[in-house]
Amino acid sequence: MAGCKSFFGYPITPQTEISAYMAKRMPKEGGVFLQAESEIAAVNMVLGAAAAGVRTMTSSSSPGISLKSEGISYIAGSDLPCVIINVQRGGPGLGGIQPSQADYWQATRALGHGDFHVLVYAPASVQEMVDLVIEAFDRADEYRMPAMLLADGMLGQMMEPVTFPEVKKNVPDKPWATNGHQGKRDHNVANSLFLSPGDLHSKVVRRFEKYKEIEQKLPKAETYKTEDADIIVTAYGAAARIARSAVNMARKEGIKAGLIRPVTLYPFPKEIIRKHTENAKEILCVEMSMGQMVEDVRLSVECKKPVRFYGKTGGLIPEPAEVFEQIKRIEKRIGGAY
Amino acid sequence: MQKKEKVLPHGGDAPYKKEILLAGFGGQGVLFAGKVLTYCGLLAGKEVSWLPSYGPEMRGGTANCSVCISDDPIGSPLVTKPDLFICMNGPSFDKFIDSVVPGGTVFIDETLVTQEVSRTDVTVYSIPAAALAAENNLSGMSNMILLGKFFKESAEETEMFSMETVKGALEKCVPSTKTHLIEVNIRAIELGRKK
């Protein structure tokens, strides 16, 4: 659909459904499916394919993403586009196999060593998994950088109706690709090694200028019933579905609650959050972790409003009723004060 | 908030919304049965979701799946307070029976669930699905027999679980290489519907 021509992966629960699908799909599209001998091999195959100018991707789940992090850093350091999917499970270590959102920090802060970002998209439905993969490939090519889809075990394994858009045939020209110069141009180099500190410095600085543009242009979030909301819940991915149910429960009882769901985690939709919480009294961040995105929410509102946190980790999924309980508690507290 | 109507009320002003939990051993076809229900909802033009939960084992572990069928977009796909509970083994009965909403409905394979239902605020339908499967040369089809009972008790209320929709759903769920199994599935469902 997105014009992806190669997939390199290694099985791990709860992500193997993607590999299984791609194993069937890639040969039909004239592409390559390869189950590598390890996650590390797979990500380096992605590096090679990306350098050759091919749309390429890999997918894994939390512990596997840690293994891929060296390769991801090399890909970012070589300014190469690719898509990486993380279907998060509980951690740290081997953790568990149930859904989790504990890799937010890893995805947005430290997906490998060095000064760099990757684009991070957070789908909240199966439909969005499809749409955002296409978006991720397009933006990765546009900005020549890796893009990640940060999903979780719940989204990875659930089924719901989905509409596939038309197959895309037009992948942009990549004059930088190392696909053979045939004597017609100078040879291209894909490389992340720069031994002269000055060269490396200017290379990284240039990359950060690109990030500045990205932070202006790409932040995306969905807002739901925020216009008159006293209490705004922030949540991404599967947690946002739970939060949405809780917001609906609150509205039924006359509590003015709303939801902001970041769709891009890098760039984080700071401005959207700041704007839509201007009239809110308190913010509640809900995650399937011990609280990671909550820090970005606090930064977005410059700590001017109280930002509370509610979450469960290790594979446990908060119930809408629990989140609703938290909203009620906040309502009780702010009710008297205003 | 609680609706008092019988199984699967449909019509009236309230939008349709049902949360269904299916639970049993891995290998009993719990996830497949859930898939059939999900497709019934899809074919009836509803919003649907299907979410499995199982351990790392291929067979023998516990497996359950959450199915939501609704007129409105589905928030959390995880069913923690089912309106309908389809129970295929003892451990799942113990684990989930208290989570069924008051006024909810429970379908039990009494061959494998020997516990008595002490709750009086739920409607219970018990049939010996596994025994029926063994007697009728339908081995491995106890899931469909129990589903047949579910369809019977629900069909009066909605077209969603009519045999026609169910057949359409089965055609979607059974892989194209195994279409010969559709007939056996239908036979099992018909058997359950007679009970």
Side-chain angles (χ1 to χ4, degrees):
Chain A
M1 232 76 57
C4 175
K5 285 289 179 214
S6 60
F7 178 96
F8 306 98
Y10 187 79
I12 179 170
T13 307
Q15 160 279 159
T16 307
E17 284 77 0
I18 302 176
S19 291
Y21 175 78
M22 291 306 261
K24 281 186 199 157
R25 178 87 197 201
M26 279 289 101
K28 283 183 196 157
E29 298 297 318
V32 171
F33 169 87
L34 199 151
Q35 181 172 312
E37 71 271 30
S38 73
E39 284 88 349
I40 298 167
V43 76
N44 283 296
M45 289 172 187
V46 168
L47 193 160
V54 176
R55 277 205 164 169
T56 181
M57 68 178 286
T58 185
S59 68
S60 193
S61 178
S62 308
I65 295 292
S66 294
L67 283 167
K68 287 183 202 286
S69 68
E70 180 197 41
I72 296 170
S73 173
Y74 279 51
I75 295 170
S78 312
D79 294 315
L80 295 173
C82 69
V83 169
I84 305 142
I85 298 179
N86 181 1
V87 183
Q88 297 172 86
R89 59 189 247 184
L94 265 182
I97 60 169
Q98 298 298 327
S100 161
Q101 295 183 322
D103 302 345
Y104 178 92
W105 281 336
Q106 183 193 41
T108 59
R109 301 289 194 279
L111 202 42
H113 60 279
D115 262 337
F116 75 97
H117 285 294
V118 304
L119 299 167
V120 183
Y121 292 91
S125 65
V126 177
Q127 183 66 54
E128 239 184 15
M129 300 265 260
V130 175
D131 298 342
L132 289 179
V133 162
I134 297 169
E135 170 82 6
F137 269 114
D138 287 351
R139 295 292 88 77
D141 273 349
E142 184 181 347
Y143 291 101
R144 281 183 67 181
M145 64 190 286
M148 168 173 271
L149 249 74
L150 193 63
D152 61 71
M154 189 195 260
L155 288 167
Q157 302 214 305
M158 74 184 283
M159 287 198 297
E160 60 184 357
V162 59
T163 316
F164 286 106
E166 266 178 49
V167 176
K168 205 174 230 176
K169 295 261 191 286
N170 301 326
V171 174
D173 261 353
K174 297 179 178 177
W176 45 262
T178 54
N179 52 0
H181 57 73
Q182 297 172 332
K184 288 174 188 159
R185 56 164 169 80
D186 283 345
H187 67 282
N188 288 334
V189 179
N191 173 39
S192 69
L193 177 67
F194 300 93
L195 289 172
S196 143
D199 287 354
L200 184 54
H201 176 265
S202 57
K203 190 95 190 158
V204 174
V205 167
R206 242 180 298 151
R207 210 169 281 136
F208 270 74
E209 278 160 13
K210 180 171 76 182
Y211 296 154
K212 229 184 242 171
E213 184 188 325
I214 285 168
E215 285 166 22
Q216 286 299 319
K217 285 189 181 166
L218 299 188
K220 202 169 157 187
E222 183 199 12
T223 57
Y224 179 66
K225 298 186 176 171
T226 52
E227 298 78 21
D228 62 340
D230 293 329
I231 302 162
I232 295 214
V233 185
T234 57
Y236 73 95
R241 297 177 72 118
I242 295 151
R244 197 187 175 99
S245 298
V247 164
N248 286 336
M249 290 162 97
R251 285 278 171 177
K252 255 186 204 159
E253 301 222 343
I255 301 173
K256 288 180 179 171
L259 171 73
I260 303 177
R261 176 176 74 87
V263 175
T264 54
L265 301 180
Y266 179 81
F268 195 70
K270 284 183 192 162
E271 197 45 37
I272 302 176
I273 291 184
R274 197 194 54 74
K275 235 176 97 191
H276 285 263
T277 53
E278 259 171 1
N279 299 318
K281 287 161 189 166
E282 282 202 24
I283 298 159
L284 172 68
C285 188
V286 178
E287 297 175 58
M288 278 140 61
S289 74
M290 291 302 287
Q292 302 189 5
M293 185 178 81
V294 64
E295 294 187 352
D296 282 336
V297 176
R298 286 195 180 115
L299 286 172
S300 302
V301 298
E302 294 165 343
C303 297
K304 283 175 187 161
K305 310 226 175 213
V307 180
R308 317 280 170 192
F309 173 76
Y310 183 74
K312 276 189 169 174
T313 193
L316 291 178
I317 299 164
E319 288 176 28
E322 292 170 48
V323 178
F324 175 45
E325 204 51 49
Q326 298 294 318
I327 295 174
K328 274 204 283 196
R329 223 181 265 182
I330 294 175
E331 168 76 7
K332 223 179 196 176
R333 194 170 48 233
I334 63 174
Y338 291 89
Chain B
M1 294 275 289
Q2 261 349 301
K3 291 191 193 109
K4 281 244 171 77
E5 295 98 321
K6 240 184 81 191
V7 194
L8 293 167
H10 195 211
D13 294 331
Y16 184 85
K17 184 174 190 290
K18 279 288 168 264
E19 300 194 353
I20 308 166
L21 183 72
L22 303 97
F25 291 122
Q28 279 182 315
V30 168
L31 304 185
F32 181 81
K35 216 168 150 179
V36 173
L37 287 181
T38 310
Y39 267 103
C40 286
L42 185 72
L43 293 175
K46 304 288 179 196
E47 300 279 347
V48 293
S49 71
W50 174 93
L51 178 72
S53 174
Y54 48 83
E57 322 77 347
M58 190 80 173
R59 281 176 197 82
T62 58
N64 67 69
C65 89
S66 295
V67 173
C68 298
I69 304 176
S70 171
D71 280 330
D72 296 323
I74 290 153
S76 172
L78 182 69
V79 173
T80 51
K81 294 183 179 64
D83 302 297
L84 300 155
F85 174 37
I86 299 178
C87 182
M88 295 188 63
N89 71 3
S92 300
F93 179 88
D94 291 338
K95 193 171 173 191
F96 297 116
I97 188 66
D98 289 333
S99 67
V100 179
V101 299
T105 309
V106 183
F107 294 86
I108 291 173
D109 180 352
E110 62 185 27
T111 316
L112 294 168
V113 181
T114 49
Q115 295 94 318
E116 288 290 318
V117 185
S118 56
R119 288 183 62 172
T120 53
D121 59 347
V122 292
T123 310
V124 181
Y125 297 103
S126 284
I127 59 165
L132 285 167
E135 285 160 19
N136 291 279
N137 199 20
L138 287 165
S139 97
M141 289 282 160
S142 60
N143 59 338
M144 289 297 124
I145 295 173
L146 197 54
L147 217 51
K149 178 69 178 164
F150 171 89
F151 291 142
K152 180 192 170 190
E153 302 305 333
S154 317
E156 317 156 2
E157 322 266 346
T158 165
E159 279 298 296
M160 199 191 310
F161 300 121
S162 68
M163 251 347 254
E164 197 189 338
T165 318
V166 171
K167 277 179 191 163
L170 275 172
E171 278 163 21
K172 296 271 184 194
C173 297
V174 175
S176 56
T177 50
K178 293 182 182 171
T179 44
H180 60 283
L181 292 178
I182 292 179
E183 204 196 310
V184 194
N185 277 279
I186 290 174
R187 201 146 59 81
I189 290 170
E190 295 285 13
L191 180 65
R193 284 170 71 94
K194 286 186 197 127
K195 295 294 155 185

